[in-house]
Amino acid sequence: MAAVKKAFQVRLPPLPSIKDVIKLYKLRALRELSQNFLMEPRLLDKIVRAAGHIENHVVCEVGPGPGGITRSIVKQGPRKLILIEKDPRFTPSLELLADACKDVVDVDIITGDILKTDIAHFIPKDVKCEWTDPPPPVNLIGNLPFSVSTILMIRWLEMISKKDGPWAFGRTRMTLTFQKEVAERMAARITEKQRCRLSVMTQNWCIVNYKFDIPGSAFLPKPEVDVGVVTLTPLKQPIIKLPFKLIEKVVRQIFSMRQKYSIRGAQTLFPEEVREEMALTMYKMAEIDPVTRPFQIANGEFGRLCEAYKEIITKYPEFENYDYRAAKKIKSAGEATKP
């Protein structure tokens, strides 16, 4: 009976369809913001169901746009809904929905860039759990713009590593859409063709569950690629227990030459005059074959490489701040000024 009662509580009054809302407010997807509208209610509900049980949870939706996924979230009866939308054109349509459900769900509409917004500020403090407890009643859900999805994911992984932001409340779960290729990279295992830096970084801090695909034809305007829906649950303990910046640097440089022997990328961690010697030392310490390709290295093996790199920069602190990219720029500038 309780479940039936809840279903009536979250039944919304008649509202114009998302398609009608777009016409009513003269909205159009902006290419420069990587906007694509998903309007099929069945698919919108499927994304929200992928998040699991969210009744009485605090839900933060990233990039709600005209409010398609938002409606599906509201129907599940969350305690509080935080909407973070960069484009102010969508504010009237979101306010329409917020007003329609004001008696059942507390809705905050934040006009701002997710890369600059402190989500934690809007989450009630009483949902906080210990990190080793089951995940808190907090969920991040979003149909992410392709242009910021990887940048945002790396930033969130760093916050997870520091137990900061939404992860100051515990192991907050995420249900997100990505360009299919990005979703496949996040879930890619050792030796798979999509395995890359993002694979290692995501899997080091999260359980990655690739849920399902959505065809590009379901979006308006139709993107040139399909979309993958992924759920992410932070691990109680990361596989590599070292600072985020150190891990990211080692993994990034090794994957910078993905098709070559992995030691070639590792060499770029060190200045030119010592790089062959130091990289070989690092691989010997980690007991990794130097001719292994980056995508053939397991997460635990990356952990040994990171530990070896840490030992080397502890012994030779002058190598710690070496930046291969900066060195290349300086070298290129020097070559350009030669007579």
Side-chain angles (χ1 to χ4, degrees):
M1 286 294 293
V4 173
K5 186 178 179 183
K6 188 65 180 178
F8 279 106
Q9 285 179 339
V10 297
R11 182 172 293 165
L12 294 171
L15 286 168
S17 68
I18 292 297
K19 189 175 288 188
D20 288 339
V21 164
I22 289 170
K23 289 179 181 176
L24 178 65
Y25 293 105
K26 297 184 170 77
L27 301 171
R28 64 181 181 87
L30 298 179
R31 183 181 295 272
E32 57 267 31
L33 295 179
S34 300
Q35 290 175 342
N36 301 95
F37 303 148
L38 181 61
M39 293 179 285
E40 170 56 52
R42 182 182 59 84
L43 288 172
L44 296 167
D45 289 345
K46 191 175 180 182
I47 291 171
V48 175
R49 285 199 305 271
H53 177 86
I54 63 169
E55 183 181 333
N56 292 324
H57 282 211
V58 176
V59 179
C60 175
E61 185 186 357
V62 180
I69 293 178
T70 316
R71 295 186 185 200
S72 294
I73 293 172
V74 167
K75 286 192 292 185
Q76 297 300 316
R79 162 189 170 184
K80 181 182 178 73
L81 180 53
I82 304 158
L83 305 176
I84 300 176
E85 175 54 61
K86 182 177 182 179
D87 191 339
R89 295 179 306 139
F90 296 119
T91 301
S93 61
L94 296 175
E95 287 177 340
L96 176 72
L97 179 57
D99 186 61
C101 68
K102 64 184 177 183
D103 294 329
V104 276
V105 181
D106 179 20
V107 180
D108 283 346
I109 302 172
I110 315 301
T111 304
D113 186 340
I114 185 59
L115 294 172
K116 301 173 183 176
T117 301
D118 178 13
I119 300 173
H121 176 74
F122 304 98
I123 299 175
K125 301 296 182 282
D126 62 3
V127 299
K128 183 176 174 63
C129 295
E130 295 299 320
W131 192 259
T132 51
D133 290 342
V138 182
N139 295 78
L140 299 185
I141 298 176
N143 176 26
L144 300 183
F146 294 163
S147 59
V148 301
S149 59
T150 301
I151 298 168
L152 182 61
M153 198 63 239
I154 292 293
R155 185 168 298 184
W156 278 354
L157 289 171
E158 183 169 10
M159 294 173 79
I160 290 170
S161 76
K162 296 176 178 178
K163 300 179 176 60
D164 197 8
W167 297 278
F169 299 88
R171 294 183 296 119
T172 297
R173 292 167 294 188
M174 296 158 275
T175 302
L176 306 166
T177 66
F178 297 91
Q179 184 176 337
K180 184 179 178 181
E181 184 177 325
V182 174
E184 288 174 341
R185 288 173 184 169
M186 294 171 71
R189 300 296 174 181
I190 183 171
T191 74
E192 292 181 355
K193 66 176 184 177
Q194 293 283 19
R195 188 165 171 81
C196 63
R197 174 190 69 138
L198 188 60
S199 319
V200 177
M201 298 298 290
T202 309
Q203 293 165 30
N204 189 60
W205 279 282
C206 294
I207 298 168
V208 183
N209 191 341
Y210 193 132
K211 288 290 191 175
F212 56 90
D213 292 332
I214 300 176
S217 57
F219 292 84
L220 184 71
K222 178 182 178 297
E224 296 178 359
V225 295
D226 293 338
V227 167
V229 177
V230 177
T231 61
L232 300 143
T233 305
L235 292 161
K236 290 182 180 179
Q237 289 288 338
I239 297 167
I240 309 169
K241 300 176 183 68
L242 288 171
F244 181 90
K245 295 291 187 187
L246 185 149
I247 299 170
E248 198 277 332
K249 183 178 183 180
V250 171
V251 175
R252 174 183 8 103
Q253 292 310 118
I254 288 177
F255 271 104
S256 67
M257 301 184 186
R258 188 179 183 279
Q259 297 300 330
K260 296 184 178 179
Y261 295 146
S262 61
I263 197 168
R264 290 290 302 279
Q267 288 173 356
T268 63
L269 291 164
F270 306 101
E272 195 168 354
E273 61 273 14
V274 297
R275 64 178 42 150
E276 289 188 15
E277 176 192 353
M278 288 293 101
L280 195 56
T281 298
M282 178 174 151
Y283 270 65
K284 283 181 179 177
M285 291 168 66
E287 299 181 336
I288 306 293
D289 187 343
V291 300
T292 306
R293 311 280 177 178
F295 56 88
Q296 296 173 324
I297 302 176
N299 287 27
E301 293 172 323
F302 266 112
R304 300 207 302 268
L305 286 166
C306 290
E307 291 283 1
Y309 176 71
K310 182 189 174 191
E311 283 191 44
I312 290 171
I313 61 175
T314 300
K315 187 175 181 180
Y316 303 101
E318 64 270 25
F319 297 154
E320 181 175 2
N321 295 319
Y322 175 74
D323 184 345
Y324 176 72
R325 293 170 296 182
K328 280 184 71 175
K329 286 179 183 176
I330 291 170
K331 186 175 180 180
S332 298
E335 289 174 349
T337 56
K338 285 181 181 178

